Amino acid sequence: MTGAASHKTFRTAIVPAAGLGTRFLPTTKAVPKELLPVVDTPGIELVADEAAQAGASRMIVVTSPGKESVVSYFQRQPELEATLERKGKTALLEKVRRAPGLLDVEVAIQEEALGLGHAVAQAEPNLTDDDSAVAVLLPDDLVLPVGVLSRMADVRARQGGSVLCAFDIPKEQISPYGVFDVSETDEQDVKRVHGMVEKPAPEDAPSTFAAAGRYLLDRAVFDALRRITPGSGGELQLTDAVALLIKEGHPVHIVVHRGGRHDLGNPGGFLRAAVDFALEDPDYGPALRSWLAERIETDRS
Ligand code: UTP
């Protein structure tokens, strides 16, 4: 399905960016992790671009007091643009204009980091009658190649309800994830979800399909978010709201994404993403590749 077709399924993307970013301390004392650059572009712009490509026309960024720069990043900078234009720096000008031109950006504030479910709930007042479903994209989770959201929109158009993204993870590596209990549908890589188990031991995992940071949620999720109580870590969990919807018979499916993924939320994952993207970059890739090869060779000797 094309972006234009999925546009009918959802037009609003919610991007929660109000977390404390503790895994990235001390940097996150002053710099939101969502703005850390993957080569030269913040993760949140990559995710906004993904949402726009899937047909979203607006993005509600949920942020917290003190993290307003996450939203400022999407505002135009006329003076900077004029300076770059005067100096003939057209490539840079294009980069500077890219984020504000992707989609309309609105802000919702989460006063306290009370969990992902709570963060998503803060975006509800921004919704209109047209928003029968919303996409939620976690800005610290890069799902590659982009395109899974359009497939998820396609599944919602046919099956109704909510659609989540999953990765097929080797059983012995499944423990850190939320794992789906599923049954097959007649479509390859689309499964019906019956439940979810958070962080199971490999022998208790109901499948090898683990949750990723992409959700296409029926608006009913906001009602469910009002009815759940704090779960693990005293936080309102988005997956608890989805579990409630499943329990009440609301259809929930997963699309199994056969691709790669980077977790930008911790230094190790972030570095991998930066190296991965830099190696593909025409400006930085060739020099980085030969330096890395030399560096690893020195390590061996
Ligand atoms: P994470 O758990 O990865 O982010 O949440 P975190 O809580 O900031 O990170 P750590 O665990 O302290 O290192 C996934 C996304 O959800 C947002 C985060 O900003 C991140 O983009 N989030 C999380 C909120 O907006 N509010 C919350 O209360 C929790």
Side-chain angles (χ1 to χ4, degrees), residues 1-9 147 149-155 157:
M1 174 182 264
T2 64
S6 64
H7 191 104
K8 293 189 194 104
T9 309
L149 260 183
S150 298
R151 178 115 195 260
M152 290 158 66
D154 186 21
V155 173

Side-chain angles (χ1 to χ4, degrees), residues 53-172:
Q53 282 189 43
S57 56
R58 69 173 184 148
M59 173 170 76
I60 304 167
V61 179
V62 183
T63 191
S64 58
K67 284 183 82 178
E68 292 83 2
S69 53
V70 176
V71 179
S72 318
Y73 179 75
F74 288 92
Q75 281 156 8
R76 293 220 96 96
Q77 299 233 345
E79 278 182 30
L80 175 62
E81 289 180 24
T83 306
L84 293 173
E85 205 154 20
R86 210 171 44 245
K87 294 186 169 169
K89 302 205 181 243
T90 42
L92 280 181
L93 186 61
E94 201 183 303
K95 284 187 182 183
V96 164
R97 284 181 173 156
R98 207 169 46 198
L102 286 171
L103 25 60
D104 296 331
V105 175
E106 292 174 25
V107 61
I109 298 290
Q110 185 187 29
E111 293 288 343
E112 228 185 309
L114 297 176
L116 179 58
H118 182 260
V120 169
Q122 306 315 303
E124 191 182 12
N126 294 61
L127 302 185
T128 69
D129 291 347
D130 292 340
D131 293 304
S132 58
V134 293
V136 175
L137 296 89
L138 303 192
D140 55 3
D141 197 353
L142 294 186
V143 175
L144 302 164
V146 297
V148 74
L149 260 183
S150 298
R151 178 115 195 260
M152 290 158 66
D154 186 21
V155 173
R156 173 172 154 94
R158 279 180 286 109
Q159 308 275 9
S162 298
V163 186
L164 280 57
C165 173
F167 276 79
D168 195 0
I169 305 275
K171 207 171 176 92
E172 62 281 5

